[in-house]
Amino acid sequence: MKRIYEYTDLQPVLDELLQNKESSDLEFKSAKGGFPRSFWETYSSFANTDGGAIVFGIKEKNDQFFLDGLTEEQVKKYEKDFFNTMHNKGSENIALLNENDVQAVKFGEAYFLFFYIPRVDRSLRPVYCGLDPYVGTYRRDLEGDYHCSREEVNSMFADANLTSPVDGRILKNFTIEDLDENSI
């Protein structure tokens, strides 16, 4: 996804964002009433799937999206709140973003805040909210964040174990007959 600061004219970009609506790699949040608590679920889901962008300052009403810009003071506060929370191990297990991944943009009289969350390497998964990965791990499907099952979290932990990768283990007492010919 192209970064917002790479565009010279923002009007077509914002128009396109509003028409494309939310997707597997794009999430809008109004943020007029404060830093959205659901932000961290989306942070986790983007990091655990294919990455994406979260945009503060766009609201949804009746399946339509509208510019709902923020003030300069709100943007500064939200940036500070974001970095303080992200670096708090009680909130997120991995601090993924740096200042270049969080972009404030002024358009007209309103401000928008863009967060670019990368897909993390399998060795870092799962990315989760809070202290319990079985409660705070999410994945992204279409335009929604979904809580991962215990089995999905365990699978992420197994994939992250680089000292004994699942597909590199030698399994004892198995023969060629144990393989599924159709899968091979």
Side-chain angles (χ1 to χ4, degrees):
M1 175 173 278
K2 199 170 174 182
R3 304 289 175 131
I4 193 69
Y5 57 81
E6 296 178 85
Y7 295 96
T8 54
D9 184 7
L10 288 181
Q11 182 66 52
V13 175
L14 292 173
D15 287 342
E16 184 179 340
L17 284 176
L18 292 173
Q19 288 177 354
N20 288 346
K21 300 189 178 184
E22 294 180 327
S23 64
S24 63
D25 65 351
L26 182 63
E27 176 81 14
F28 300 133
K29 300 197 181 286
S30 170
K32 276 284 195 191
F35 195 100
R37 291 189 311 186
S38 64
F39 173 89
W40 297 106
E41 294 169 6
T42 306
Y43 175 95
S44 167
S45 70
F46 280 163
N48 289 325
T49 51
D50 292 324
I54 301 172
V55 183
F56 284 9
I58 297 178
K59 70 177 178 178
E60 177 183 6
K61 187 173 183 179
N62 299 328
D63 285 333
Q64 291 188 332
F65 295 90
F66 303 93
L67 299 180
D68 188 36
L70 306 169
T71 66
E72 184 176 11
E73 293 76 28
Q74 284 176 308
V75 166
K76 287 179 181 176
K77 180 183 181 332
Y78 295 161
E79 284 178 310
K80 185 176 181 179
D81 290 349
F82 166 76
F83 283 107
N84 286 339
T85 303
M86 181 183 67
H87 289 290
N88 177 348
K89 289 295 183 190
S91 297
E92 286 299 312
N93 69 316
I94 298 175
L96 292 173
L97 308 188
N98 61 45
E99 289 179 27
N100 293 329
D101 298 319
V102 180
Q103 298 291 317
V105 174
K106 184 176 183 185
F107 181 71
E109 295 302 311
Y111 286 82
F112 301 88
L113 193 55
F114 289 74
F115 299 85
Y116 297 95
I117 293 97
R119 175 185 180 162
V120 298
D121 185 77
R122 70 182 183 132
S123 65
L124 297 175
R125 284 187 215 132
V127 173
Y128 55 90
C129 315
L131 298 172
D132 186 350
Y134 296 105
V135 173
T137 301
Y138 294 82
R139 63 181 165 75
R140 187 80 173 181
D141 282 330
L142 294 176
E143 60 190 52
D145 303 318
Y146 297 94
H147 187 260
C148 289
S149 68
R150 186 169 201 80
E151 292 76 23
E152 289 171 312
V153 174
N154 285 339
S155 178
M156 288 184 206
F157 279 128
D159 286 346
N161 183 356
L162 299 179
T163 59
S164 180
V166 174
D167 57 357
R169 293 186 202 145
I170 297 174
L171 302 174
K172 298 180 191 265
N173 303 321
F174 284 88
T175 67
I176 195 82
E177 286 80 33
D178 293 307
L179 298 176
D180 178 33
E181 191 174 314
N182 292 332
S183 295
I184 296 173

